[in-house]
């Protein structure tokens, strides 16, 4: 998503696998503490997990939702500026004009809000005998893309897969996206809480453009770090030049709204 400094070909990425509790203020305080710790380890880009300030569940979203800017995002802005890092703020339940959204914010090293992304594709799942969950019960989908220019080929996904989709798809999807797009792919999950109504898979992971797993967490609260080497990325793209072989005469991706 972001590359700090035009001349920096290598930088450290950190993922915060946060143990989310029912106390919002405690979640935010511990998240900021772990961001500071990641910065002391040399991280220039840090990501929090999906729904980091609230338990993940449709019954919790209305209770924990807040405006943006608001209390939680103000703390993220402050810690990004304090540490001089790019901070991907996972996501929080956002309230706006009577609607609720699953919203990710990104802050620059000066604390500026660079972008706000409202989740476009809500997570609705019904696997008989295993899990039923519908974000759409309480959340509304975003209606626009949220982009900003960078010089870095990096995909970061704050996510919260569960005990059904996690073992089946979590690493598989990351490695697939890394290889077919020839990019580094990182996924930040909450830590696992077996007593929660929605049990997150954990295993926050960083994958190389070749599909190698560079770093992977267990299930508990931790910081996952890896150095991102854009020279290696360029070498891989030269070795297998898939982008120059795209058939734009046959297909294209089209954005319907600006």
């Amino acid at each position: 998503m972001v590359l700090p400094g035009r001349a920096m070909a290598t930088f450290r990425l950190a993922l915060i696998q946060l143990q989310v509790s029912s106390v919002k203020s405690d979640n935010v305080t511990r998240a900021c503490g772990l961001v500071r710790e990641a910065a002391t380890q040399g991280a220039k880009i840090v990501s929090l997990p999906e729904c980091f300030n609230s338990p993940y569940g449709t019954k919790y979203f209305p209770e924990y939702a807040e405006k943006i800017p608001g209390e939680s995002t103000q703390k993220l802005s402050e810690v990004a500026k304090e540490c001089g890092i790019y901070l991907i703020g996972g996501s929080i339940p956002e309230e706006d004009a009577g609607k609720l959204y699953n919203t990710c914010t990104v802050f620059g090293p000066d604390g500026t809000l660079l972008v706000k992304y409202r989740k476009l594709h809500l997570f609705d799942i019904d696997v008989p005998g295993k899990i039923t969950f519908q974000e759409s019960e309480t959340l509304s989908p975003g209606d626009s893309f949220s982009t900003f220019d960078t010089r870095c080929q990096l995909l970061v996904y704050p996510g919260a897969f569960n005990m059904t989709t996690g073992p089946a798809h979590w690493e598989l999807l990351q490695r697939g996206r890394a290889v077919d797009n020839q990019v580094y792919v990182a996924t930040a999950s909450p830590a696992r809480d077996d007593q929660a109504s929605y049990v997150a898979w954990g295993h926050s992971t960083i994958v190389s453009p070749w599909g190698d797993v560079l770093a992977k967490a267990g299930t508990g609260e931790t910081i996952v770090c890896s150095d991102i080497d854009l020279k290696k990325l360029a070498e891989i793209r030269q070795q297998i030049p898939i982008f120059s072989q795209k058939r734009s005469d046959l297909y294209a991706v089209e954005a319907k709204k600006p």
Side-chain angles (χ1 to χ4, degrees), residues 1-3 45-48 68 73 76-77 80 85-91 103-117 146-148 150 156 158:
M1 293 181 68
V2 282
L3 172 61
I45 302 176
V46 180
S47 180
L48 291 165
I68 297 177
T73 52
L76 298 186
S77 172
I85 59 167
Y86 288 90
L87 178 57
I88 302 164
S91 75
T103 303
C104 176
T105 53
V106 180
F107 297 90
D110 61 355
T112 300
L113 176 63
L114 300 178
V115 71
K116 181 176 78 169
Y117 168 73
S146 303
T147 62
F148 59 101
T150 74
V156 181

Side-chain angles (χ1 to χ4, degrees), residues 112-198:
T112 300
L113 176 63
L114 300 178
V115 71
K116 181 176 78 169
Y117 168 73
R118 291 171 170 169
K119 191 173 184 178
L120 293 176
H121 304 103
L122 298 182
F123 179 61
D124 288 356
I125 185 172
D126 184 9
V127 180
K130 293 187 176 180
I131 184 172
T132 299
F133 188 93
Q134 290 188 309
E135 278 190 325
S136 60
E137 286 181 358
T138 54
L139 298 179
S140 296
D143 63 1
S144 64
F145 294 108
S146 303
T147 62
F148 59 101
D149 293 332
T150 74
R151 296 170 60 84
C152 176
Q153 293 80 24
L154 174 67
L155 296 177
V156 181
Y157 295 96
F161 278 37
N162 53 65
M163 300 301 291
T164 298
T165 60
H169 300 147
W170 181 251
E171 184 178 311
L172 172 68
L173 287 171
Q174 293 170 70
R175 297 182 72 187
R177 294 299 77 73
V179 172
D180 60 27
N181 291 286
Q182 294 180 323
V183 290
Y184 286 91
V185 175
T187 51
S189 169
R192 187 181 302 176
D193 179 359
D194 291 320
Q195 305 304 312
S197 58
Y198 181 97

Side-chain angles (χ1 to χ4, degrees), residues 4 11-16 35-47 83-86 223-227:
F11 60 91
R12 180 159 292 179
L13 169 69
L15 310 177
I16 307 299
V35 168
R36 292 185 183 95
E37 185 178 337
T40 64
Q41 296 177 18
K44 297 301 182 184
I45 302 176
V46 180
S47 180
C83 297
I85 59 167
Y86 288 90
I223 300 173
V224 179
C225 290
S226 181
D227 290 327

